[in-house]
Amino acid sequence: MADEKQLEKVTASSVSQSFTDDDGQEITWTEEEEKALLRRVDFLIMPLLILGFFALQIDRGNIGNAMTDFFMQEVGITQFQFNIGQQLLSTGIVLLEIPSNIILYRVGPTLWIGCQILAWGAVATFQAFIKGKGLGPYLTTRLLLGLCEAGFIPAGLYTMTRWYKRSEISRRFSYYFLGNLFAGACSGLIAYGILHMRGIAGLSGWQWLFLLEGLFTIVVGLIFIAFFPQSPANPRSLIAGKSFRYFTERESAILQARVFKDDPSKLQPRQNVSWGEVKDTLTNWRILPHFLTTILGMASAHALGAYAPTLVIGFGYGRLQSNAMMTIGAWILLVLNLLWGWLADKYSKRGLMVFLGVLGLWVFQLGNRLLITSPNRDLRFGFLTMATAFMANWHAVNGAWLSLNARSAGERSITMAIFVMGANIAGIAGSQIFQAHDAPVYRTGWTIIVALCSASLFMSIVANAQYWLLNKFQKREGEDRYKY
């Protein structure tokens, strides 16, 4: 019996797959060979993309920690003006999201993403020197930060679709968002330590926060440019000599062939996104439910990202302690993000996982609204923690779901840009949810959040329903055309 099982294992590993390219050349490989290459791809590109996302979220979100260290008072701005700055950051990202991915399509990820990281790292660092400068410099740095960050997330998402098959992509998108979530989980702890540096060299704690984390990002940008491969067809870094390749020519051919065989729409015959592809994407009504689910659901995530430590202070906990406490929900979110991506790929149920994630968000945000006058601070903190845990665990799966239903490589690139635009439009709305006149319980703010999450839940149902109906009436070769 043991010998039979061993024979089955050997036979399975030696099964050959093949692909014939446009020149009529047949490429053949075994499943065992493909699995070994996939592991190498994971260890090569995913850590660098995750590290870049970690730096992005640290620089984007550390202003919430700075607020607990008298940031607004020392810069010389009001809470309303602070919210405007957050809106400008999201606006900058929205403005350049699509142009950025068009440039990515032509220039390639190594140079374009690497330069983006260096650019926003420089802006993030110089935020340390706006103390006492008032509204103008604050608004300028937030807008510049958004403009420099524009395109990084969809660029990473699109780049992964060039390396991975459809059955592998939800998990990899979830791995990618680990950088974002790990930053959220660590930022409060990091800030707790750095903010204690207040007074060293005459700087405030928040100044040290921007300075150290901005310099870290610049180092990340240099590492990315030095080591990230340009493409499966050209698996070299920019600084390596022409003789050095991460993969042999045969391995590179297999990496391309296995992806094209799985999804022919990933063939990229041109160096530019065509205007026809841009037009087709912008008029693709199937994107709309995904887009609205993202905007409506992620608005509360942006609100909590900036105000969660301040809300915890309002519950009666310590000023610096609040930064560390809010990392609990972020760590739970990190685990749920991985679980959602794994389940989505394992069972091929992306739409269901998006719905369940948004449902969890709605439940806990409703709890936050109902508890605004509760004297039980621990219960309020518990619901806030769980709302944080569900605020984005479905987001990466939603992006993978969109990617799988794109009809060409160019359309996929623009679709990923539109997807992330939705998340940043949510930032524009979410930044104004909590207002000073509504403090300290934020009755109106929490009511708006519940309304937005309710609408997001409804749109996730619409997204699922549209693909079910389309597959019911449009069959291609006996298989469902659309993935849900």
Side-chain angles (χ1 to χ4, degrees), residues 85 145 249 320 360 366 390 472:
L145 193 62
E249 290 188 10
L320 296 183
L366 179 62
F390 275 87
K472 187 176 179 63

Side-chain angles (χ1 to χ4, degrees), residues 166 261-265 286 404-408 412 467 469-483:
R166 288 176 294 183
K261 180 181 179 181
D262 173 70
D263 186 358
S265 74
R286 289 182 297 275
L404 292 178
N405 286 299
R407 295 165 293 190
S408 69
R412 184 170 290 105
Y467 292 122
L469 290 171
L470 286 168
N471 283 335
K472 187 176 179 63
F473 296 109
Q474 298 179 26
K475 294 289 184 178
R476 184 176 64 182
E477 297 178 1
E479 295 182 0
D480 291 341
R481 178 177 180 180
Y482 298 101
K483 307 298 181 183

